[in-house]
Amino acid sequence: MRKSIAILAIGLVSVLLLSLLYTSPQIPINADPDGDGLPTVKEQSLGTDPNDPDTDNDGLNDGEEVDRYGTSPVDFDTDGDGLGDGEEVKKYGTDPKDLDTDDDGLNDGEEVKSYGTDPKKTDTDGDGLNDRVEVKNFLTDPNDPDTDDDGLNDGEEVYEYKTDPRDPDTDDDKLLDGQEVEKGTDPNDPDTDNDGYSDGNDLFPLFDAHLKIHMDYWKEWRAGDTLNGGDPYFIISIYIKQANSLVQYYSTTIDVQDDIIEAWDLFTLTVNIPDSAHYLLIVIDAWDADVDADDHYDINGNDPSKYALEIEFNVLSKKLTVEGNGLSDGEEPTGGLTDAYAKVTIEIVKPVTVSLTPFSIVSTFPFFLS
């Protein structure tokens, strides 16, 4: 009897246990306990945590990663560029599945953390060089369009002018590369016109400067030769102003046709001057050749004690025309003095077609009236 009761009890317990097993609540197929947009069943298949909306802690819900961005919900940095998926999407606007969003050769993480460049722009500073080329090839600043501050963009220097984008004066001539381009000189040649003066010290860096002195008009007021007019010749001296002193650079004598009272375009003198000379003093001294003694023409017109015409000339100024008339002196001596009027034009010109030395004289064919 007791044995039968025991067997019956065991049977009842088994039935109760089976009843509890088959009547326990089941997880619904669409259950999403963490509210990340993925049902538990799918989370289990993906390996995500159904109770953690952001399994990899990258700032994106697991459901966003799977359904919207296509990133891995179990990998903080899907593309391995050094930026978390959430940073890429929410902070930088980059592609979390592309390690180099702008295809400039630098990973998005490098751009953000190492170089401070824009991971969505191939050329952050807009200088014509992409960010990787700046960083890896030329060592320029990808955030500064003009790394050496010479007035030229880095891209212009590399591709157009072939200058060094990290050296403001590529040819070391004391002119910035940008200044050279603006002037028209060669930023890769310290002496563009090959005249022996570096572009930075050359007032005329594009050509070898020549001083042109032209006697536009000559008129003798009171002749030493009373019958046929004077026989003028001219001693022309050129001085260079250096600091507070004058240094004679050149002197020559020009002897023109005899018996001249009046003449147009009497002579032209062209002299090669140093391209570094800024201020000149030109002295034109006129004499009347005579058998017994030469007479001194007074063409100064300003200083009674001087006969010669003295012209101060800034080589960077435009063409200068000067008139000298000895009659206006007022206190001129009478003995041995011959007065005349001279009109002279001074200018800087390019070299003439013939070969010149610093002492060359190039004369026009003057028109004389005697």
Side-chain angles (χ1 to χ4, degrees):
M1 183 66 177
R2 289 181 179 179
K3 185 176 181 181
S4 298
I5 294 172
I7 293 172
L8 179 61
I10 292 171
L12 291 172
V13 170
S14 298
V15 170
L16 178 61
L17 290 174
L18 288 171
S19 175
L20 291 172
L21 177 64
Y22 287 103
T23 59
S24 62
Q26 297 293 310
I27 299 174
I29 192 170
N30 293 321
D32 182 10
D34 58 8
D36 61 3
L38 292 179
T40 299
V41 174
K42 190 168 186 178
E43 296 224 42
Q44 291 172 341
S45 68
L46 293 172
T48 54
D49 185 345
N51 294 298
D52 185 348
D54 183 7
T55 299
D56 57 8
N57 297 312
D58 63 359
L60 297 178
N61 285 352
D62 297 341
E64 288 181 297
E65 298 217 51
V66 172
D67 297 330
R68 183 173 179 183
Y69 300 112
T71 50
S72 171
V74 293
D75 188 343
F76 178 85
D77 179 11
T78 299
D79 57 10
D81 62 1
L83 296 178
D85 295 341
E87 283 185 292
E88 298 220 46
V89 170
K90 296 180 178 181
K91 187 174 183 179
Y92 300 110
T94 50
D95 186 346
K97 295 186 296 180
D98 184 347
L99 56 85
D100 181 9
T101 299
D102 56 9
D103 297 321
D104 63 358
L106 297 177
N107 286 354
D108 296 341
E110 285 183 296
E111 299 218 48
V112 170
K113 297 178 180 180
S114 298
Y115 304 113
T117 50
D118 187 338
K120 295 187 297 178
K121 286 186 178 179
T122 302
D123 179 10
T124 297
D125 56 12
D127 62 1
L129 296 177
N130 83 22
D131 294 340
R132 183 193 178 283
V133 168
E134 297 221 46
V135 170
K136 305 293 186 181
N137 292 22
F138 298 107
L139 305 181
T140 49
D141 185 347
N143 292 291
D144 185 347
D146 182 8
T147 298
D148 56 9
D149 296 320
D150 63 357
L152 297 178
N153 284 355
D154 297 340
E156 289 180 300
E157 299 218 48
V158 170
Y159 296 126
E160 186 172 353
Y161 301 111
K162 312 302 181 185
T163 49
D164 186 342
R166 294 181 299 137
D167 185 347
D169 181 10
T170 299
D171 57 10
D172 297 321
D173 61 0
K174 301 188 186 311
L175 286 179
L176 298 179
D177 294 341
Q179 291 177 310
E180 299 225 42
V181 169
E182 185 177 354
K183 287 175 176 285
T185 53
D186 185 347
N188 292 292
D189 185 347
D191 182 10
T192 298
D193 58 4
N194 298 315
D195 63 356
Y197 296 91
S198 68
D199 294 341
N201 295 318
D202 196 334
L203 297 174
F204 302 93
L206 295 176
F207 62 90
D208 192 11
H210 286 66
L211 178 70
K212 178 181 176 182
I213 303 171
H214 182 68
M215 181 69 75
D216 304 316
Y217 179 68
W218 170 261
K219 172 70 174 179
E220 186 177 76
W221 294 115
R222 189 164 62 234
D225 297 333
T226 56
L227 296 179
N228 299 318
D231 304 325
Y233 65 91
F234 302 88
I235 300 174
I236 300 178
S237 301
I238 300 173
Y239 297 83
I240 297 175
K241 285 191 175 183
Q242 296 180 350
N244 295 321
S245 63
L246 290 171
V247 178
Q248 187 175 28
Y249 170 73
Y250 171 85
S251 183
T252 191
T253 299
I254 298 179
D255 193 359
V256 297
Q257 180 176 323
D258 294 342
D259 301 331
I260 298 174
I261 295 176
E262 186 176 20
W264 289 262
D265 299 322
L266 188 58
F267 66 82
T268 297
L269 171 65
T270 303
V271 181
N272 188 353
I273 62 170
D275 280 17
S276 59
H278 196 167
Y279 297 98
L280 305 176
L281 176 65
I282 302 155
V283 179
I284 302 176
D285 211 3
W287 291 82
D288 180 11
D290 208 345
V291 176
D292 50 358
D294 294 349
D295 297 313
H296 207 170
Y297 288 108
D298 181 4
I299 57 174
N300 181 271
N302 292 316
D303 189 340
S305 65
K306 296 179 179 180
Y307 298 162
L309 180 61
E310 297 183 356
I311 305 169
E312 294 184 357
F313 184 59
N314 178 349
V315 299
L316 296 180
S317 64
K318 297 180 179 180
K319 183 186 298 187
L320 176 65
T321 298
V322 177
E323 298 180 3
N325 185 343
L327 290 179
S328 64
D329 283 353
E331 298 181 7
E332 59 199 21
T334 56
L337 178 67
T338 304
D339 293 320
Y341 169 86
K343 182 178 179 182
V344 180
T345 296
I346 310 291
E347 63 181 315
I348 297 296
V349 297
K350 295 181 180 180
V352 294
T353 54
V354 298
S355 177
L356 292 175
T357 69
F359 302 97
S360 296
I361 297 172
V362 179
S363 298
T364 60
F365 294 98
F367 171 73
F368 299 105
L369 177 62
S370 59

